């Protein structure tokens, strides 16, 4: 099957293809995509790429042999492929050195943060009954929504934006670990039941360490009725509906 | 004698549990040295459940295989069923020991909570032990009358055994599901209706999920057993038998696994119906990272299984024609699982975070792309099966139309999923969920159509060459072992997930956990315990394999 030591192979050796896929995927994730994927996540996805490459190589007996010949320098290759093979071989210690260097290098950057989009609500939210007049989006009256608009534009729009797209004037400085929510995002308030959103507005994010957000608590500024009207406007403006089941 | 001692220990432990439970309760919690009360109960519960799953699963397909052998009049199936069943007597003993140990520990470390549960479910506890007794007796009769009874009667006894085993599981599930989604009790916890407490929101999804998962788990474990025997086999006949056994175990395992995402989503929906907040915590909140790990282990299960089937094709006469498709399937699976395990948010630095959610994985991290990925992954598995089946057959001429139709269905599945995915980003969540369910449901007729076309295509076709059992590369067998280990890990992980969804409650919203172990462990700590108990389980099962393997070899040697 494999032609060891003799005869040049036709086409690209699987070892070269594997290198292209591995190095290419890494470069794609860390340097092409913007912002780059976090390093831990890159490693996580690299695991998939490595498994994919290993599966590809071990699918056929012949290919395994060819690959082993490649990495053990037994096969004779086209000069270009040979140069690549040698370059990668020589680069391995440098790569390891760089990894060690970056691991021990003192960094002044703030530590990485995990933003948790939907955190666990406190116990009072569990089983909280939404007042009947606010519970069904189909019955939200125009008057209530119009009133909500005033509260929204006074309190929420500076960060979440007049268009409910998370692009208020303040949003430019609030970017880490999480900027103001874009309510139009199908993964944001459209995913949440009303009771959850009510809790977020009422108690904000600053009080809850899970969020790590600078969202203030509005319960001292607004009463319950006003909060509900604001929520109604928020959903209407964003053009999404709360989760209903 | 050994068994007698084993049962004596079980009886002593159960009696101890009973009396410890009876002891006047002075404190709600007691501590366990070194690893803490919660961890010891967690480890024992999960180990017991894994063994329970095993002893429930093996009889299910032992009976199915025995029946196939009976109707096909093929001795090999009977031998296979018996080989599976030979693992049972010892496995029963270990399960009983672990169950007894778990009861003792729970009653002694969590007396108040266990007292409450025993108070609510008292009648069912008697039923449970009665059923366990009947099941054990039936198992021994079933196992030891293999050659004595008429085949038909033996099969009937096997069915009775399975019904009893399933009922035992249902009773246990009533207790477990009650803790997650209690019903039939007042806010203070007093019992109002036992039947409501039993038939709570998550009772039926849990029953179905566990039943199907148990069968696939049993299939994979037995495939791993066959793989181990294959690798240590000395003769070509032995190799052929265990290759065939591994193939059948894997087939049962993977076919049932394909059903699990569907049942799992039903479970999730019931959880949301019971309590939306719990649903959020479980699916998108504090526990959301569990699903990424789950995607990873399911990736190992699906890809490992396909890898095994692809490698078979490397040695299958006639498979050369289809080998060129395999790399596409393998990369499609890899990409599908990468999407499935993409998080919505990740620990990031200032530069990596950009503006909040990442434009790529932030978008892939929600449900809709994952559902599309699951569907595509399932499609790839089905195509692997189809190719494997077709490889050994000569397609009769003039039937190209069926291949075109098959391709059209495949294309339709892909297009539908892409379109559904596109719309999922613009429509409200309620519509999105409906679309997702529809794409899920569409898979059923689609797979049916693919198989129907295949049946028509291959009707009356001739084999290209004789199937050569035993002629597979040994690395495929390691794939099967990896699949089994991942399966155990997945069960332990999701068992943890379901229990963790209760957060700091023993019984959600009814009885709070006020012990020092009330909070959730860090994900890293949880995975260490999960890995530890996976190792212990695999170790114990290997021991059972070893012990039954020794006696089994004598039997098979005698047959030859």
């Amino acid at each position: 099957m494999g032609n060891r030591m003799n005869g040049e192979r036709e086409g690209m050796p699987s070892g070269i293809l594997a290198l292209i896929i591995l190095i290419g995927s890494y470069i794609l994730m860390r340097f092409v995509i913007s912002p780059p994927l976090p390093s831990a996540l890159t490693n996580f996805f690299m695991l998939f790429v490595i498994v994919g490459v290993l599966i590809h190589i071990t699918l056929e007996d012949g290919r395994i042999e060819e690959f082993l010949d490649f990495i053990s320098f037994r096969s004779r290759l086209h000069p270009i492929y040979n140069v690549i093979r040698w370059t990668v071989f020589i680069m391995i210690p440098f790569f390891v050195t760089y990894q060690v260097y970056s691991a021990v290098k003192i960094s002044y950057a703030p530590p990485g943060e995990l933003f948790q989009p939907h955190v666990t609500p406190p116990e009072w939210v569990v089983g909280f009954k939404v007042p009947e007049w606010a519970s069904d989006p189909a019955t939200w009256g125009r008057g209530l929504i119009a009133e909500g608009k005033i509260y929204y534009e006074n309190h929420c729009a500076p960060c979440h934006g007049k268009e409910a797209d998370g692009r208020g004037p303040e949003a430019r400085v609030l970017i880490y670990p999480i900027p103001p929510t874009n309510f139009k995002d199908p993964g944001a308030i459209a995913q949440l039941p009303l009771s959850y959103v009510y809790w977020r507005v009422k108690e904000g994010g600053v009080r809850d360490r899970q969020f790590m957000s600078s969202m203030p608590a509005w319960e001292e500024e607004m009463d319950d009725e006003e909060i509900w009207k604001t929520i109604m406007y928020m959903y209407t403006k964003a053009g999404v509906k709360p989760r209903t089941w | 004698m050994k068994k007698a001692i084993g049962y004596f220990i079980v009886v002593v432990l159960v009696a101890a549990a009973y009396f410890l439970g009876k002891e006047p309760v002075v404190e709600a919690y007691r501590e366990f040295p070194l690893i803490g009360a919660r961890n010891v109960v967690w480890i024992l519960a999960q180990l017991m459940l894994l063994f329970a799953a095993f002893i429930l699963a093996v009889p299910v397909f032992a009976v199915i295989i025995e029946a196939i052998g009976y109707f096909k009049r093929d001795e090999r199936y009977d031998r296979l069923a018996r080989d599976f069943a030979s693992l049972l007597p010892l496995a029963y003993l270990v399960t009983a020991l672990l169950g007894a140990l778990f009861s003792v520990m729970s009653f002694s470390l969590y007396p108040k909570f266990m007292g409450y549960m025993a108070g609510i479910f008292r009648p069912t506890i008697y039923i449970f032990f009665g059923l366990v007794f009947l099941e054990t007796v039936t198992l021994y009769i079933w196992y030891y009358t293999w050659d004595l009874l008429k085949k038909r009667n033996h099969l009937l006894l096997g069915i009775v055994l399975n019904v009893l085993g399933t009922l035992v599981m249902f009773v246990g599930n009533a207790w477990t599901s009650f803790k997650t989604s209690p019903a039939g009790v007042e806010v203070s916890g007093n019992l109002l209706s036992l039947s409501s407490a039993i038939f709570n929101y998550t009772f039926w999804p849990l029953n179905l999920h566990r039943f199907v998962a148990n069968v696939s788990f049993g299939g994979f474990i037995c495939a791993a057993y066959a793989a181990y025997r294959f690798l240590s086999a000395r003769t070509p006949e032995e190799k052929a038998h265990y290759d065939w056994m591994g193939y059948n175990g894997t087939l049962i395992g993977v076919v049932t696994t394909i059903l699990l995402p569907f049942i799992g989503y039903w479970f999730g929906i019931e959880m949301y119906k019971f309590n939306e907040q719990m649903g959020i915590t479980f699916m998108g909140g504090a526990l959301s990272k569990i699903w990424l790990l789950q995607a990873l282990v399911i990736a190992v299960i699906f890809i490992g299984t396909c890898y095994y089937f692809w490698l078979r094709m490397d040695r299958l006469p006639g498979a050369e024609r289809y080998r060129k498709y395999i790399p596409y399937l393998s990369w499609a699976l890899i990409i599908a699982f990468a999407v499935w395990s993409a998080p919505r948010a990740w620990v990031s630095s200032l530069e990596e975070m950009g503006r909040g959610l990442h434009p790529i994985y932030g978008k892939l991290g929600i449900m809709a792309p994952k559902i599309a990925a699951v569907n595509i992954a399932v499609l790839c598995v089905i195509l692997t099966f189809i190719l494997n089946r077709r490889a050994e057959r000569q397609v009769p001429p003039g039937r190209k139309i069926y291949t075109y139709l098959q391709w059209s269905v495949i294309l339709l599945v892909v297009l539908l999923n892409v379109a559904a995915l596109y719309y999922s980003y613009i429509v409200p969540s309620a519509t999105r969920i409906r679309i997702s369910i529809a794409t899920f449901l569409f898979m059923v007729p689609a797979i049916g159509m693919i198989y129907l076309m295949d049946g028509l295509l291959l009707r009356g076709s001739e084999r290209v060459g004789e199937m050569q059992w035993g002629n597979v590369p040994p690395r495929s067998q390691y794939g099967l072992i990896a699949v089994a280990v991942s399966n155990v890990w997945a069960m332990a992980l999701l068992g943890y997930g379901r229990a963790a969804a209760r957060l700091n409650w023993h019984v959600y919203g009814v009885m709070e956990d006020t012990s020092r172990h009330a909070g959730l462990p860090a994900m890293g700590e949880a995975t260490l315990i999960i890995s530890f108990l996976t190792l212990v389980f695999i170790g114990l099962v290997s021991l059972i394999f070893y012990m039954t393997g020794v006696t089994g070899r004598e039997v098979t040697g005698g047959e030859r």
Side-chain angles (χ1 to χ4, degrees):
Chain A
M1 285 188 175
N3 37 355
R4 285 159 194 256
M5 300 294 283
N6 47 34
E8 224 170 79
R9 287 183 170 279
E10 296 278 312
M12 191 188 283
S14 56
I16 296 283
L17 193 65
L19 284 172
I20 291 174
I21 293 173
L22 288 174
I23 297 171
S25 313
Y26 189 81
I27 291 175
L28 178 77
M29 286 188 265
R30 289 296 286 171
F31 302 106
V32 178
I33 291 174
S34 169
L37 259 56
S39 54
L41 197 58
T42 309
N43 294 344
F44 180 72
F45 284 130
M46 280 307 286
L47 204 70
F48 283 86
V49 183
I50 293 169
V51 170
V53 167
L54 283 178
I55 287 177
H56 192 92
I57 289 166
T58 56
L59 276 177
E60 287 172 25
D61 291 346
R63 211 179 285 150
I64 296 180
E65 224 166 291
E66 190 244 328
F67 184 75
L68 289 178
D69 285 349
F70 175 84
I71 57 168
S72 56
F73 290 84
R74 275 195 298 224
S75 47
R76 273 177 50 203
L77 300 175
H78 187 279
I80 294 175
Y81 295 145
N82 212 21
V83 167
I84 298 174
R85 178 162 65 172
W86 274 105
T87 313
V88 171
F89 181 70
I90 292 165
M91 288 302 287
I92 290 172
F94 287 102
F95 179 72
V96 173
T97 312
Y98 174 74
Q99 290 295 323
V100 174
Y101 167 74
S102 19
V104 296
K105 183 179 67 172
I106 294 169
S107 160
Y108 297 100
E113 295 273 13
L114 175 66
F115 159 60
Q116 183 70 268
H118 305 314
V119 304
T120 303
E123 275 153 34
W124 69 262
V125 182
V126 176
F128 176 81
K129 286 274 172 285
V130 177
E132 210 167 296
W133 62 277
S135 62
D136 182 7
T139 61
W140 292 347
R142 273 192 195 168
L144 298 174
I145 294 170
E147 232 179 291
K149 184 180 181 199
I150 301 165
Y151 303 126
Y152 181 88
E153 288 185 350
N154 284 342
H155 300 311
C156 317
C159 297
H160 292 284
K162 265 192 148 182
E163 298 303 315
D165 56 1
R167 287 168 186 243
E170 306 277 343
R172 263 177 289 169
V173 289
L174 301 170
I175 55 165
Y176 186 71
I178 179 69
T181 306
N182 166 11
F183 296 137
K184 291 178 168 169
D185 180 342
I189 54 171
Q191 284 257 40
L192 298 169
L194 284 169
S195 54
Y196 192 100
V197 179
Y198 168 72
W199 161 55
R200 295 286 285 111
V201 179
K202 193 178 169 73
E203 296 199 343
V206 276
R207 286 196 202 161
D208 201 311
R209 284 193 60 207
Q210 305 174 88
F211 279 112
M212 295 191 293
S213 111
S214 48
M215 164 93 177
W218 289 100
E219 60 186 346
E220 277 158 30
E221 306 274 334
M222 293 197 271
D223 60 30
D224 271 4
E225 209 167 291
E226 290 165 351
I227 291 180
W228 281 117
K229 287 170 187 165
T230 312
I231 292 174
M232 288 174 190
Y233 177 72
M234 207 163 95
Y235 273 102
T236 313
K237 183 72 191 166
V240 293
K241 291 205 172 82
R243 187 189 276 281
T244 47
W245 57 275
Chain B
M1 185 61 195
K2 268 186 271 174
K3 272 179 202 155
I5 294 170
Y7 280 108
F8 177 71
I9 296 171
V10 172
V11 169
V12 169
L13 286 174
V14 171
Y18 184 75
F19 287 113
L20 281 169
K22 282 265 169 185
E23 197 183 345
V25 177
V26 272
E27 50 198 333
Y29 303 103
R30 294 198 190 94
E31 214 15 277
F32 191 83
L34 293 173
I35 57 169
R38 176 181 59 191
N39 288 351
V40 74
V41 171
W42 175 2
I43 291 168
L44 286 171
Q46 190 60 56
L47 278 176
M48 176 198 69
L49 280 169
L50 288 168
F51 268 100
F54 185 68
I55 59 168
L56 283 173
V58 173
V60 173
F61 58 79
V63 171
I64 294 173
I65 293 166
E66 195 188 356
I68 294 173
Y70 173 67
F71 290 112
K72 274 191 162 183
R73 305 202 181 281
D74 188 341
E75 268 292 305
R76 281 188 310 171
Y77 285 96
D78 200 66
R79 198 172 135 210
L80 176 63
R82 203 173 182 166
D83 233 345
F84 282 149
S86 70
L87 302 168
L88 281 174
L90 203 53
Y92 257 66
L93 190 62
V94 177
T95 316
L97 271 169
L98 283 166
L101 208 57
F102 166 65
S103 315
V104 170
M105 283 300 173
S106 309
F107 273 104
S108 80
L109 299 175
Y110 290 87
K112 193 177 162 199
F113 162 58
M114 289 304 283
Y116 171 72
M117 287 296 283
I120 298 278
F121 286 104
R122 192 167 299 281
T124 63
I125 295 172
Y126 301 126
I127 296 172
F128 179 80
F129 282 111
L131 285 169
V132 168
F133 178 76
L134 279 177
E135 189 200 1
T136 313
V137 171
T138 316
L139 169 85
Y140 280 96
I141 298 174
W142 175 72
Y143 183 64
Y144 287 107
T145 55
W146 204 285
D147 295 323
L148 297 176
L149 283 180
K150 273 187 179 169
K151 206 67 236 144
R152 198 173 285 245
N153 293 343
H154 192 256
L155 279 171
L156 210 63
L157 196 62
I159 292 168
V160 171
L161 172 67
N162 277 307
V163 171
L164 287 169
T166 309
L167 288 175
V168 169
M169 186 189 73
F170 280 8
V171 178
N173 287 352
W175 308 335
T176 308
S177 58
F178 172 80
K179 290 192 288 176
T180 307
S181 54
V185 287
E186 291 173 349
V187 182
S188 58
N190 293 329
L191 182 67
L192 292 173
S193 151
L194 180 61
S195 70
S196 305
I198 293 172
F199 298 101
N200 59 69
Y201 270 98
T202 55
F203 176 66
W204 280 112
L206 185 65
N207 283 341
L208 194 63
H209 202 303
R210 272 191 171 165
F211 182 77
V212 178
N214 285 351
V215 178
S216 58
F217 167 69
F220 287 132
I221 291 281
C222 282
Y225 168 67
Y228 158 74
R229 294 293 296 264
F230 176 92
L231 291 168
S232 53
R234 295 210 180 100
T235 62
E237 295 82 35
E238 251 186 297
K239 265 196 192 310
H241 176 69
Y242 288 110
D243 180 22
W244 181 78
M245 178 173 173
Y247 177 86
N248 282 296
T250 308
L251 209 61
I252 291 172
V254 82
V255 168
T256 40
T257 301
I258 287 174
L259 300 173
L260 285 176
F262 303 90
I263 306 169
Y265 282 114
W266 178 38
F267 196 120
I269 288 171
E270 288 299 308
M271 221 175 209
Y272 268 104
K273 277 187 189 162
F274 164 69
N275 187 313
E276 287 173 352
Q277 317 294 351
M278 184 190 242
I280 291 172
T281 304
F282 195 41
M283 301 295 284
L287 296 170
S288 61
K289 297 293 176 284
I290 284 179
W291 303 105
L292 308 183
L293 289 172
Q294 185 231 22
L296 210 59
V297 279
I298 293 184
V300 177
I301 294 170
F302 272 32
I303 297 174
T305 309
C306 286
Y307 184 63
Y308 167 79
F309 281 100
W310 296 330
L311 285 183
R312 295 197 72 79
M313 288 177 69
D314 195 29
R315 307 253 172 112
L316 208 63
E320 307 80 16
R321 298 166 290 168
Y322 301 108
R323 241 173 255 157
K324 57 177 181 279
Y325 298 114
I326 294 175
Y328 297 107
L329 284 177
S330 90
W331 283 107
L333 267 175
I334 295 275
I335 292 168
F337 278 102
V339 170
W340 192 352
S341 48
R344 178 135 165 84
W346 195 264
V347 179
S348 336
S349 68
L350 192 52
E351 297 77 33
E352 291 159 348
M353 184 62 92
R355 281 186 56 85
L357 291 171
H358 194 276
I360 293 178
Y361 65 85
K363 283 213 163 55
L364 294 179
I366 58 171
M367 211 65 236
K370 292 177 192 304
I371 286 176
V374 174
N375 288 342
I376 300 292
V378 168
L379 186 70
C380 290
V381 176
I382 298 293
L383 289 180
T384 299
F385 285 172
I386 295 278
L387 287 186
N388 230 273
R389 206 163 98 114
R390 197 173 298 172
E392 30 170 0
R393 301 201 170 257
Q394 188 69 52
V395 180
R399 292 192 186 169
K400 271 264 178 244
I401 179 77
Y402 298 121
T403 327
Y404 295 141
L405 283 172
Q406 238 173 4
W407 276 110
S408 319
V409 176
I410 293 163
L411 200 69
L412 195 66
V413 170
V414 175
L415 285 179
L416 192 88
N417 275 289
V418 171
L421 185 56
Y422 174 74
Y423 277 107
S424 295
Y425 285 105
I426 26 186
V427 293
S429 68
T431 319
R432 181 175 65 244
I433 289 155
R434 263 180 235 125
I435 292 178
S436 295
I437 293 171
T439 58
F440 248 176
L441 293 179
F442 179 71
M443 289 303 284
V444 181
I447 293 171
M449 278 296 280
I450 293 174
Y451 266 97
L452 181 71
M453 292 305 136
D454 214 53
L456 292 171
L457 183 75
L458 297 177
R459 196 175 27 150
S461 62
E462 282 178 17
R463 279 178 182 274
V464 175
E466 200 45 50
M467 179 70 199
Q468 294 162 341
W469 291 108
N471 183 19
V472 286
R475 59 182 183 279
S476 65
Q477 305 297 311
Y478 291 106
L480 294 186
I481 293 170
V483 166
V485 175
S486 293
N487 203 295
V488 177
W489 210 90
M491 287 176 78
L493 174 78
L494 293 172
Y496 161 70
R498 189 179 33 72
R502 288 184 272 124
L503 302 172
N504 56 324
W505 295 91
H506 290 308
V507 180
Y508 194 69
V510 174
M511 188 182 199
E512 198 174 353
D513 184 349
T514 53
S515 73
R516 55 185 280 248
H517 301 297
L520 293 184
M523 200 62 212
E525 190 193 329
T527 49
L528 278 180
I529 291 179
I530 289 164
S531 303
F532 168 75
L533 52 88
T534 303
L535 278 178
V536 174
F537 176 74
I538 298 285
L540 284 173
V541 165
S542 304
L543 199 68
I544 293 176
F545 283 171
Y546 174 73
M547 290 169 83
T548 48
V550 173
T551 49
R553 209 161 284 156
E554 283 161 16
V555 172
T556 48
E559 276 176 10
R560 251 178 247 123

